Amino acid sequence: MLVLSRKQNESIIIDGDIEVVVLGVEGDTVKLGIRAPKEIDIYRKELYDSIISSNQEAAHNAGSLDQIARLLQSGRITKT
């Protein structure tokens, strides 16, 4: 992990077109401003982790859907 020290209104540049600006520090909270191209997705870490978890759960359940489809095709269960 790269660790940098920045003061209010100072920034860092990532990959030439993403700018992260320190807007302020209040207690233990840092306010950041991010300028990035629209095609770049930006998430809070906890939201990103939740999305990944939901996608993994959906992928796991997709196997169950395949099993249901096979059961329907085999005639062992019927649609209601």
Side-chain angles (χ1 to χ4, degrees), residues 10-75:
E10 291 183 338
S11 61
I12 63 169
I13 302 294
I14 301 171
D15 202 26
D17 59 356
I18 300 170
E19 181 178 15
V20 181
V21 182
V22 177
L23 298 176
V25 179
E26 297 174 12
D28 61 351
T29 302
V30 178
K31 289 186 179 181
L32 302 173
I34 302 169
R35 291 185 187 100
K38 291 181 179 180
E39 65 270 11
I40 301 292
D41 295 326
I42 300 170
Y43 301 99
R44 291 184 176 98
K45 175 77 163 82
E46 60 274 16
L47 178 58
Y48 181 78
D49 289 343
S50 175
I51 291 168
I52 295 298
S53 177
S54 294
N55 286 345
Q56 289 173 339
E57 184 178 324
H60 176 72
N61 290 336
S64 298
L65 292 176
D66 288 342
Q67 291 172 338
I68 292 170
R70 281 193 297 265
L71 290 171
L72 285 170
Q73 291 172 347
S74 71

